[in-house]
Amino acid sequence: MSPSDYAIAIDVATRFLDDQSVPEDGRFVFSYTIHIRNRGKVPARLLGRHWIITDANGKIQEVRGEGVVGEQPWLRPGDDFEYTSGAVLETALGTMQGSYDMLADDGTRFDAPIAAFTLSVPRTVH
């Protein structure tokens, strides 16, 4: 087996939730929708997640947990899974990055890295 047998593609779309945010109290709520696709050659299950969330003050929140949104999706090659979750920051700008803990059907465990993406209130980033 080669590393390309274990390939997970991850795309992210973010949104600022104005109706749930209270900027004067340092509460900025964001949603993010993650699209996961198994581009490898081996079916794999998403066992867990690890997030590093950093706000504009440099405050870091680290989140680890089982699955995503209460599920541990099993993806055959070419399969997709999409979910939406959220994050609350104390600033109007922040970043998230992390990885998914994956288990291939052949018993191989591997990390699917999630590249850093930005959470920002519209018109905050110039």
Side-chain angles (χ1 to χ4, degrees):
M1 295 278 169
S2 75
S4 65
D5 293 340
Y6 313 102
I8 304 295
I10 299 165
D11 293 306
V12 182
T14 64
R15 201 160 68 86
F16 173 62
L17 301 180
D18 190 32
D19 59 328
Q20 296 179 33
S21 298
V22 188
E24 55 274 18
D25 291 345
R27 178 179 165 85
F28 297 85
V29 181
F30 299 89
S31 71
Y32 54 90
T33 298
I34 305 231
H35 186 95
I36 303 165
R37 169 170 278 175
N38 186 345
R39 293 190 184 260
K41 298 184 176 117
V42 182
R45 180 173 305 282
L46 190 161
L47 297 179
R49 68 193 183 282
H50 176 217
W51 287 111
I52 298 167
I53 307 163
T54 308
D55 73 13
N57 294 329
K59 179 181 172 188
I60 296 173
Q61 301 174 61
E62 199 160 349
V63 179
R64 290 183 189 272
E66 286 189 10
V68 289
V69 293
E71 296 186 55
Q72 292 184 318
W74 179 69
L75 303 166
R76 292 180 302 257
D79 279 359
D80 295 284
F81 181 79
E82 188 172 276
Y83 73 95
T84 299
S85 191
V88 180
L89 301 181
E90 294 176 3
T91 60
L93 180 65
T95 61
M96 284 182 69
Q97 63 186 15
S99 62
Y100 294 127
D101 178 23
M102 306 293 297
L103 176 63
D105 281 14
D106 66 7
T108 301
R109 279 187 93 139
F110 65 99
D111 281 339
I114 306 160
F117 58 92
T118 301
L119 301 170
S120 69
V121 174
R123 297 175 301 283
T124 301
V125 177
H126 302 288

Short mmCIF file of all heavy atoms in Angstrom, two decimals, residues 10 22 39 48 50-51 68 71 79 87 93 96 114 119:
data_model
loop_
_atom_site.label_atom_id
_atom_site.label_comp_id
_atom_site.label_asym_id
_atom_site.label_seq_id
_atom_site.Cartn_x
_atom_site.Cartn_y
_atom_site.Cartn_z
N ILE A 10 -10.45 17.51 2.11
CA ILE A 10 -11.30 18.26 3.03
C ILE A 10 -11.46 19.68 2.52
O ILE A 10 -10.47 20.37 2.28
CB ILE A 10 -10.69 18.26 4.45
CG1 ILE A 10 -10.58 16.81 4.96
CG2 ILE A 10 -11.52 19.13 5.39
CD1 ILE A 10 -9.68 16.64 6.15
N VAL A 22 -22.69 38.42 20.01
CA VAL A 22 -22.84 39.62 20.82
C VAL A 22 -21.46 40.28 20.89
O VAL A 22 -20.72 40.09 21.87
CB VAL A 22 -23.37 39.30 22.23
CG1 VAL A 22 -23.71 40.59 22.99
CG2 VAL A 22 -24.58 38.38 22.18
N ARG A 39 -10.47 10.13 -1.23
CA ARG A 39 -9.80 10.07 -2.54
C ARG A 39 -8.80 8.93 -2.59
O ARG A 39 -8.06 8.79 -3.56
CB ARG A 39 -9.10 11.39 -2.84
CG ARG A 39 -10.06 12.54 -3.04
CD ARG A 39 -9.34 13.75 -3.58
NE ARG A 39 -10.23 14.87 -3.67
CZ ARG A 39 -10.80 15.27 -4.80
NH1 ARG A 39 -10.57 14.63 -5.91
NH2 ARG A 39 -11.59 16.32 -4.81
N GLY A 48 -12.19 10.17 15.04
CA GLY A 48 -12.15 11.31 15.95
C GLY A 48 -11.64 12.56 15.26
O GLY A 48 -11.21 12.54 14.11
N HIS A 50 -9.49 16.47 16.00
CA HIS A 50 -8.61 17.30 16.83
C HIS A 50 -8.56 18.68 16.18
O HIS A 50 -8.17 18.81 15.02
CB HIS A 50 -7.20 16.69 16.89
CG HIS A 50 -6.23 17.55 17.62
ND1 HIS A 50 -4.92 17.68 17.24
CD2 HIS A 50 -6.38 18.31 18.73
CE1 HIS A 50 -4.30 18.50 18.07
NE2 HIS A 50 -5.17 18.89 18.98
N TRP A 51 -9.01 19.68 16.92
CA TRP A 51 -9.03 21.06 16.43
C TRP A 51 -8.13 21.93 17.28
O TRP A 51 -8.09 21.78 18.50
CB TRP A 51 -10.45 21.64 16.50
CG TRP A 51 -11.40 21.12 15.49
CD1 TRP A 51 -12.49 20.31 15.73
CD2 TRP A 51 -11.41 21.36 14.09
NE1 TRP A 51 -13.14 20.04 14.56
CE2 TRP A 51 -12.49 20.67 13.53
CE3 TRP A 51 -10.57 22.09 13.23
CZ2 TRP A 51 -12.80 20.70 12.18
CZ3 TRP A 51 -10.86 22.12 11.89
CH2 TRP A 51 -11.97 21.43 11.37
N VAL A 68 -17.61 13.20 14.40
CA VAL A 68 -18.04 14.56 14.08
C VAL A 68 -19.56 14.59 14.15
O VAL A 68 -20.21 13.68 13.66
CB VAL A 68 -17.54 15.02 12.69
CG1 VAL A 68 -16.04 15.25 12.69
CG2 VAL A 68 -17.93 14.04 11.59
N GLU A 71 -21.36 11.42 14.77
CA GLU A 71 -21.23 10.33 13.81
C GLU A 71 -19.76 9.96 13.60
O GLU A 71 -18.87 10.79 13.81
CB GLU A 71 -21.83 10.72 12.46
CG GLU A 71 -23.33 10.97 12.51
CD GLU A 71 -23.89 11.21 11.12
OE1 GLU A 71 -23.70 10.37 10.24
OE2 GLU A 71 -24.52 12.26 10.94
N ASP A 79 -16.53 8.21 -1.79
CA ASP A 79 -17.66 8.65 -0.96
C ASP A 79 -17.39 10.03 -0.36
O ASP A 79 -16.25 10.41 -0.10
CB ASP A 79 -17.92 7.68 0.19
CG ASP A 79 -18.71 6.45 -0.22
OD1 ASP A 79 -19.09 6.35 -1.41
OD2 ASP A 79 -18.93 5.58 0.65
N ALA A 87 -18.20 27.33 16.08
CA ALA A 87 -17.16 27.75 17.02
C ALA A 87 -17.51 29.13 17.53
O ALA A 87 -18.10 29.95 16.81
CB ALA A 87 -15.80 27.78 16.34
N LEU A 93 -11.99 37.76 14.54
CA LEU A 93 -11.12 37.06 13.60
C LEU A 93 -10.42 35.92 14.31
O LEU A 93 -10.00 36.06 15.46
CB LEU A 93 -10.08 38.06 13.05
CG LEU A 93 -9.06 37.56 12.04
CD1 LEU A 93 -9.74 37.14 10.76
CD2 LEU A 93 -8.03 38.64 11.78
N MET A 96 -8.84 28.16 12.45
CA MET A 96 -9.00 26.78 12.90
C MET A 96 -8.15 25.89 12.03
O MET A 96 -8.02 26.15 10.83
CB MET A 96 -10.46 26.33 12.80
CG MET A 96 -11.37 26.88 13.86
SD MET A 96 -13.08 26.26 13.69
CE MET A 96 -12.90 24.54 14.12
N ILE A 114 -6.32 18.88 8.37
CA ILE A 114 -7.25 19.93 7.97
C ILE A 114 -6.45 21.22 7.97
O ILE A 114 -6.00 21.69 9.02
CB ILE A 114 -8.43 20.05 8.96
CG1 ILE A 114 -9.11 18.68 9.13
CG2 ILE A 114 -9.42 21.11 8.48
CD1 ILE A 114 -9.93 18.56 10.40
N LEU A 119 -11.78 32.25 10.29
CA LEU A 119 -13.11 32.64 10.74
C LEU A 119 -13.06 34.16 10.88
O LEU A 119 -12.23 34.69 11.63
CB LEU A 119 -13.42 32.01 12.11
CG LEU A 119 -13.38 30.48 12.17
CD1 LEU A 119 -13.47 30.01 13.62
CD2 LEU A 119 -14.49 29.87 11.34
#
